[in-house]
Amino acid sequence: MGIRIILDDDKPAENLEWAPPLRVISIVTLLAATLDLLADFLVCNRIAEFLPNFQSQKAIYAAYGYFFFAGVSVIVYIFEMIDVCQSLKYEVENVYTARLAKSLVLALEEVPMPTLLNILFTNEPRLSLANPVFFSSWIKLVALTWGIIKFCKLRFFWPCLPCNPKHDRRENIRRMFTFTAYRCAMILVNICHFYCIYIVIRNIMASANGGRPIKANE
């Protein structure tokens, strides 16, 4: 006599836990975003200190671009923190606001700043910049890795759409490959996310080797 195991895909996977609770997500997001912003300011301070010594015009342009997006990141940080604090206060997350906040963080902070930092450090591999770049890149890598979990919780991470507990597996797969404008935007944001992780890892590898020493202007 054999044993048959029947998997009913027509029932929603309501008991599927695929992300930490809301309070944990919010607290860790708050800490990660704050440390990320402080690390950006640390790099800005070091760049400003040695900017007069830069010899590469590309590095100078990248530095000014980095300063600009550091200012933009403050506005994005405030917007994200409002969403996080509201989630902690009411224990209910506005999914659309949270998705918008994370997408803005990627578009206006996580994509341009590591890219500009990579251009800057590639053209000006200064010993004085190596440690701040290395430190801030590690913090950003942790924040980006946590961001994947955040996107999973928000059901805004395309590879994890089949894990959506609100629908059965067949419906999730159908939604996954229904490329509406919303779905295409999701995929674009996810691609940007992986690009950010890639460029941050490159920054870590480049800054880990140090650079050539310079003297600050008196």
Side-chain angles (χ1 to χ4, degrees):
M1 182 176 179
I3 299 176
R4 292 190 304 168
I5 300 176
I6 300 175
L7 297 177
D8 189 357
D9 287 342
D10 295 330
K11 294 181 180 180
E14 295 178 352
N15 59 343
L16 182 62
E17 289 289 340
W18 50 283
L22 174 61
R23 184 172 292 274
V24 175
I25 288 281
S26 299
I27 292 174
V28 176
T29 300
L30 177 66
L31 294 175
T34 303
L35 288 175
D36 192 9
L37 185 67
L38 292 176
D40 290 337
F41 283 150
L42 173 65
V43 175
C44 283
N45 180 67
R46 187 55 64 91
I47 292 174
E49 182 179 354
F50 293 98
L51 184 59
N53 300 86
F54 282 10
Q55 300 173 358
S56 170
Q57 197 65 31
K58 287 184 180 179
I60 294 174
Y61 291 149
Y64 285 123
Y66 193 88
F67 294 153
F68 172 77
F69 282 105
V72 173
S73 69
V74 176
I75 301 174
V76 176
Y77 172 81
I78 293 173
F79 182 71
E80 185 179 19
M81 287 306 101
I82 290 173
D83 174 67
V84 170
C85 292
Q86 286 181 340
S87 299
L88 287 171
K89 180 178 180 180
Y90 300 109
E91 297 187 355
V92 176
E93 187 170 42
N94 188 321
V95 175
Y96 298 103
T97 304
R99 289 172 181 171
L100 177 61
K102 289 302 295 181
S103 299
L104 287 176
V105 169
L106 271 175
L108 300 177
E109 179 182 351
E110 305 297 0
V111 170
M113 295 187 73
T115 302
L116 291 168
L117 193 59
N118 182 265
I119 296 172
L120 189 153
F121 196 76
T122 300
N123 289 275
E124 289 284 340
R126 304 289 178 134
L127 184 62
S128 55
L129 297 176
N131 286 337
V133 171
F134 183 78
F135 176 71
S136 66
S137 296
W138 266 112
I139 291 179
K140 200 168 288 290
L141 180 61
V142 172
L144 286 168
T145 304
W146 179 256
I148 293 178
I149 300 176
K150 174 75 172 180
F151 273 134
C152 287
K153 184 69 173 178
L154 295 172
R155 299 186 297 278
F156 203 66
F157 190 59
W158 188 78
C160 289
L161 285 183
C163 300
N164 188 348
K166 289 191 173 182
H167 306 285
D168 60 76
R169 191 174 295 107
R170 291 175 183 173
E171 176 63 15
N172 284 335
I173 293 176
R174 185 193 70 79
R175 288 168 173 258
M176 185 177 184
F177 292 100
T178 302
F179 296 106
T180 60
Y182 167 79
R183 201 79 63 219
C184 291
M186 177 194 300
I187 294 173
L188 179 61
V189 169
N190 295 157
I191 291 173
C192 290
H193 202 128
F194 284 113
Y195 164 77
C196 294
I197 292 175
Y198 164 74
I199 201 70
V200 165
I201 291 175
R202 286 198 58 180
N203 289 343
I204 291 173
M205 294 174 62
S207 58
N209 298 324
R212 58 180 185 270
I214 62 171
K215 294 182 179 180
N217 287 346
E218 298 295 338

